[in-house]
Amino acid sequence: MTEPALRRTLGLGDAVTVGLSAMIGAGVFVSFAPAAAAAGSALFVGLAIAALIAYCNASSSARLAARYPQSGGTYVYGRERLGPFWGHLAGWSFVVGKTASCAAMALTVGHYAWPDRAHAVAAGAVVALTALNVAGVERSARVARVVVALVLAVLAAVVVAAFASGAAEPSRVFDGAAAGPFGVLQAAGLLFFAFAGYARIATLGEEVRDPARTLPRAIFLALAVALGVYALVGVALVAVLGTDGLAASVAPVADAARATGLPVVIVTVTACVAALGALLALLLGVSRTTLAMARDGHLPRALATVHETRRVPVYAELAVGVVVTVVAATADLGAAIGFSSFAVLVYYAVANASAWTLDTAVRSRVVPAVGLAGCLLVALSLPAGSVSAGIVVLVAGALAYAVTRSNSPSGTAP
């Protein structure tokens, strides 16, 4: 029996809105600080590089999603195009990278809501949202759009207040305190965290009208709008706080609002709402990838258990929740962002390599080639601690693959 297809009801504007709701969230509130520490005023060059890599990644993912319209993302693409090992490595990178992203989003809530007890607040937020996920509560698309509208409104208010209040000094944006190429690439890797979610557009292949034409345009427009928003916010933050002040801040948008006389509580509430909404959705996504890998035997099969009445992968969600809670209670926010970016860049490197194999035409290979090279170069330019931890985790993933492969009845990867 043929399974019913999804309705193609979404137009270009709908797809762009979905992409923006996935991208503009917690990252904009925290990622500029470590980027400023890495690159100084040259962080804006890093922002452009991060956006270019995000565009290549999303474009490659859209092509692959059209060819393989099933859950699992690059875990599926790598397995089908490059072989089981690369699919496993992509899935492993996604789970560990997005687990760190979850911790970073929880710490964003902590640093904005109660800076002196950031880790305790972060851990509590993860526990509460894990309980909601286990109970079967999900963030709806309508709520996501309301949140992104709120975030955009508050960010616009901060930018306007920065220059209307006289607190901003434009000369700080071009103060010459720029780092060299390595610092710029490191900033690009850290700011890449702020674009997390852009590939959500690639999953709409069965729901948009004329997907071959609509998806590429939606990806480009959504990323262009997000880049514009981030650039304006970044200029305002540097102009108000200076690169040194921005680098030292753990809640830069709140600090900028305080300097301009804008009510800080508005920024605090918005940052917490955005981070909590992104965290709820991300915990859901990580647990589903964990479920898929457990079903294939790459993770303990108990994690594939689905609750009979609530129809949620309860053990996968609890396991993810426990790990994220521990990381959120102990990790540094900058370290979490760096490690997350490294693992997710590896994930998309596999996506671009998979897209490279779809077509032998030179024109079709330009975007995945740029994306693959950019992902690897920027990933290796991240802080040494993030890179070394990431490599250790990748080696652990490879060893896990060897174990699951040897335990498979067929002697091959599940």
Side-chain angles (χ1 to χ4, degrees), residues 49-50 52-53 57 181-190 192 341-342 345-346 348-349 352 368-383 387:
I49 294 173
L52 174 62
I53 294 173
N57 296 348
F182 183 79
V184 170
L185 289 174
Q186 188 172 119
L190 295 166
F192 181 79
S341 294
F342 179 88
L345 283 164
V346 171
Y348 281 112
N352 282 299
V370 173
L372 175 60
C375 284
L376 295 177
L377 181 61
V378 170
L380 293 174
S381 300
L382 284 163
V387 175

Side-chain angles (χ1 to χ4, degrees), residues 119-130:
H119 286 88
V121 172
V126 176
V127 170
L129 294 187
T130 298

Side-chain angles (χ1 to χ4, degrees), residues 108-140:
T108 300
V109 177
H111 282 298
Y112 274 85
W114 194 357
D116 293 336
R117 295 289 185 272
H119 286 88
V121 172
V126 176
V127 170
L129 294 187
T130 298
L132 288 178
N133 275 342
V134 170
V137 177
E138 301 181 17
R139 187 180 71 159
S140 69

Side-chain angles (χ1 to χ4, degrees), residues 278-339:
L279 177 58
L280 179 63
L282 197 52
L283 285 169
L284 191 73
V286 174
S287 65
R288 268 51 180 181
T289 301
T290 301
L291 167 70
M293 295 183 71
R295 281 176 171 169
D296 285 348
H298 288 303
L299 291 174
R301 293 191 183 274
L303 297 177
T305 302
V306 176
H307 195 278
E308 292 184 0
T309 57
R310 292 194 292 269
R311 310 305 298 172
V312 297
V314 59
Y315 293 141
E317 290 184 341
L318 289 173
V320 170
V322 168
V323 173
V324 175
T325 299
V326 172
V327 176
T330 58
D332 172 75
L333 176 58
I337 290 175
F339 178 80

Side-chain angles (χ1 to χ4, degrees), residues 34-302:
S41 57
L43 67 89
F44 299 104
V45 180
L47 180 64
I49 294 173
L52 174 62
I53 294 173
Y55 173 76
C56 294
N57 296 348
S59 297
S60 293
S61 296
R63 292 178 61 201
L64 290 160
R67 180 72 67 90
Y68 303 101
Q70 53 187 293
S71 299
T74 304
Y75 172 60
V76 173
Y77 312 149
R79 182 187 67 200
E80 298 297 325
R81 305 302 308 182
L82 304 175
F85 171 77
W86 295 105
H88 168 82
L89 195 66
W92 182 270
S93 298
F94 179 87
V95 170
V96 297
K98 292 301 184 180
T99 296
S101 294
C102 289
M105 302 216 179
L107 285 166
T108 300
V109 177
H111 282 298
Y112 274 85
W114 194 357
D116 293 336
R117 295 289 185 272
H119 286 88
V121 172
V126 176
V127 170
L129 294 187
T130 298
L132 288 178
N133 275 342
V134 170
V137 177
E138 301 181 17
R139 187 180 71 159
S140 69
R142 182 174 298 179
V143 171
R145 294 180 185 186
V146 171
V147 170
V148 75
L150 173 65
V151 171
L152 287 173
V154 170
L155 292 177
V158 171
V159 171
V160 171
F163 293 97
S165 66
E169 296 182 20
S171 60
R172 291 173 174 167
V173 180
F174 306 102
D175 63 1
F182 183 79
V184 170
L185 289 174
Q186 188 172 119
L190 295 166
L191 288 167
F192 181 79
F193 176 80
F195 287 98
Y198 54 84
R200 173 69 180 90
I201 302 173
T203 66
L204 299 176
E206 292 186 65
E207 300 174 72
V208 298
R209 298 186 293 270
D210 191 10
R213 183 169 181 264
T214 301
L215 288 181
R217 295 174 63 199
I219 290 169
F220 177 80
L221 289 173
L223 282 167
V225 172
L227 176 61
V229 171
Y230 295 155
L232 288 172
V233 172
V235 167
L237 293 178
V238 174
V240 172
L241 303 176
T243 52
D244 291 338
L246 177 57
S249 176
V250 294
V253 182
D255 289 342
R258 189 177 291 107
T260 62
L262 195 70
V264 178
V265 66
I266 296 177
V267 174
T268 298
V269 171
T270 302
C272 291
V273 169
L276 287 171
L279 177 58
L280 179 63
L282 197 52
L283 285 169
L284 191 73
V286 174
S287 65
R288 268 51 180 181
T289 301
T290 301
L291 167 70
M293 295 183 71
R295 281 176 171 169
D296 285 348
H298 288 303
L299 291 174
R301 293 191 183 274

